[in-house]
Amino acid sequence: MDKIATIGLDIAKQVFQVHGADAHGATLFNRKLRRAEVPAFFEKLPPCIVAMEACGSAHYWGRAISALGHEVRILPAQYVKPFVTRGKTDAADAIAISQALKRPDIRSVSLKTAAQQAATMVLSTRTFFVRQRANAINALRGFMAEFGLVAPRGITNVGKLVTVLSERGDAGIPPAARLMLDEILAEIETLTARIQRIDDQIAAHAKQDEDIRRLTAIPGIGTLTAAAIQAHVPDPGRFRSARHFSAWLGLTPKQNSSGEKLRLGEISRMGNGDLRSLLYMGAMGVLNAARRFGTRSGWLRRLMDKRPFKVVAIALANKTARVVWALLTKGGTYQAPTELAGN
């Protein structure tokens, strides 16, 4: 046991698989552990490097094992998969994690603290409620359309649906259908109130956080986006440059190149989808304002004249991400472009 250098840990709900190897990579053991046996097992081991895939409960186990004196590395699951040989089993997965750990070009995921996980939970819960509200609104529209009651699409037009329903009264709507419509409306109101409470919590935190206040000065970055960046990117210094950060977000094109032929496709959509969507929607808002009122940025003006609207939005979201990285790693505040709109 004194020769153990690395351990590949395949975590699960109840049965864990641990693969131990020495400094040369030779297998020392590959065994199963019940969930209750894991803490005692690592407590008896001398300090070593423990690797696991980034998945549910990985950060919890990472904190628990690192507290016992071990160095924990969480590896992206898509980088571990190529090392799985033959059939997929827990034992093969544990070996694959050990093999991926040896690769110097595979970067590990930052281990999150409990507070950082709580911050991401706030945002994930809000996204969950927003999705539920959208489903309820779509159900309401579909049911009302069956009785000839329609209104323009969009969350802002939900009030018009309520108005149309109240004006129609009970005429032509069976009592059972009216009861279900009222239930869905009550669910929408409940979800809206929950979302508002979470927004108030995020806004209260933003007023006390200096980084969030600096980020919200960037066009297209609101309080929600700034809070999401802070929660999902606790250590932006891990990225070597702003370009690496925007590529991690999936805002750079896919490559299918060979030899001297460079082929670029659509954006890769890697990284956190919620954060990428927030940056994209913020960029869309900036472009809509630029259409109406103009912009001081000559770069943005020239891009809007040459490229499709959504392509420009992706480019602007990419640039915004790079500005975010610069502010978080180098400090300072955002400085708006000084170029005049008429130049």
Side-chain angles (χ1 to χ4, degrees):
M1 298 293 281
D2 294 336
K3 298 180 181 179
I4 298 175
T6 61
I7 289 181
L9 176 63
D10 183 47
I11 60 179
K13 293 181 179 178
Q14 298 298 335
V15 180
F16 294 59
Q17 188 80 25
V18 288
H19 173 267
D22 60 18
H24 301 288
T27 298
L28 298 177
F29 59 84
N30 196 352
R31 54 174 292 192
K32 292 182 178 181
L33 292 175
R34 303 295 298 181
R35 182 184 182 90
E37 299 172 341
V38 174
F41 174 81
F42 283 99
E43 188 175 6
K44 296 177 181 179
L45 292 182
C48 58
I49 300 176
V50 180
M52 62 189 75
E53 286 183 314
C55 58
S57 75
H59 291 280
Y60 163 75
W61 285 112
R63 292 192 299 269
I65 294 173
S66 62
L68 298 175
H70 302 285
E71 179 183 348
V72 175
R73 298 182 187 176
I74 300 178
L75 307 179
Q78 64 267 32
Y79 295 154
V80 175
K81 185 177 180 180
F83 293 92
V84 178
T85 57
R86 294 181 178 271
K88 184 186 183 304
T89 62
D90 291 345
D93 289 346
I95 295 174
I97 294 171
S98 293
Q99 293 294 327
L101 175 63
K102 300 174 185 177
R103 292 292 299 270
D105 56 337
I106 296 181
R107 292 182 296 179
S108 59
V109 178
S110 299
L111 182 62
K112 293 181 179 180
T113 64
Q116 290 168 345
Q117 280 196 287
T120 59
M121 185 182 295
V122 171
L123 298 168
S124 298
T125 303
R126 183 187 186 279
T127 301
F128 172 68
F129 287 150
V130 169
R131 189 180 299 115
Q132 280 193 325
R133 184 176 64 177
N135 291 338
I137 292 173
N138 290 336
L140 180 67
R141 289 183 182 279
F143 291 146
M144 291 181 61
E146 295 294 332
F147 299 100
L149 305 177
V150 296
R153 294 181 299 176
I155 185 66
T156 57
N157 293 314
V158 175
K160 295 181 180 179
L161 282 174
V162 179
T163 301
V164 170
L165 183 61
S166 61
E167 290 177 351
R168 180 70 173 267
D170 295 330
I173 303 179
R178 182 57 188 256
L179 178 61
M180 294 302 100
L181 294 177
D182 290 339
E183 290 291 338
I184 296 176
L185 282 173
E187 181 67 13
I188 294 173
E189 292 176 358
T190 299
L191 291 170
T192 300
R194 289 175 175 173
I195 295 169
Q196 186 59 51
R197 285 197 297 269
I198 296 175
D199 288 342
D200 293 341
Q201 179 181 346
I202 294 173
H205 170 69
K207 292 180 180 179
Q208 303 173 358
D209 192 282
E210 178 62 26
D211 286 340
I212 291 182
R213 289 201 297 268
R214 291 191 301 120
L215 289 177
T216 52
I218 304 173
I221 299 290
T223 301
L224 181 62
T225 306
I229 292 171
Q230 186 186 63
H232 293 295
V233 193
D235 184 16
R238 290 177 60 88
F239 300 95
R240 286 184 289 176
S241 67
R243 293 182 182 274
H244 284 82
F245 178 56
S246 60
W248 174 78
L249 287 171
L251 292 171
T252 52
K254 290 181 181 178
Q255 291 198 28
N256 185 21
S257 305
S258 178
E260 296 181 354
K261 295 182 179 180
L262 181 64
R263 299 184 181 91
L264 300 179
E266 60 183 9
I267 59 173
S268 66
R269 301 189 182 186
M270 300 290 285
N272 187 280
D274 292 336
L275 187 52
R276 182 174 57 254
S277 297
L278 289 171
L279 289 170
Y280 174 74
M281 289 188 291
M284 293 283 282
V286 172
L287 291 182
N288 285 325
R291 276 181 167 180
R292 296 177 59 187
F293 309 110
T295 175
R296 292 184 176 183
S297 173
W299 169 83
L300 184 58
R301 233 181 10 255
R302 290 189 294 270
L303 205 59
M304 292 175 65
D305 292 339
K306 297 179 181 178
R307 304 304 298 272
F309 187 78
K310 291 186 177 180
V311 173
V312 179
I314 291 293
L316 181 57
N318 182 302
K319 186 174 183 178
T320 302
R322 288 185 275 126
V323 173
V324 166
W325 180 88
L327 284 185
L328 292 179
T329 56
K330 300 180 181 179
T333 57
Y334 174 76
Q335 300 294 327
T338 57
E339 184 178 356
L340 298 179
N343 292 343

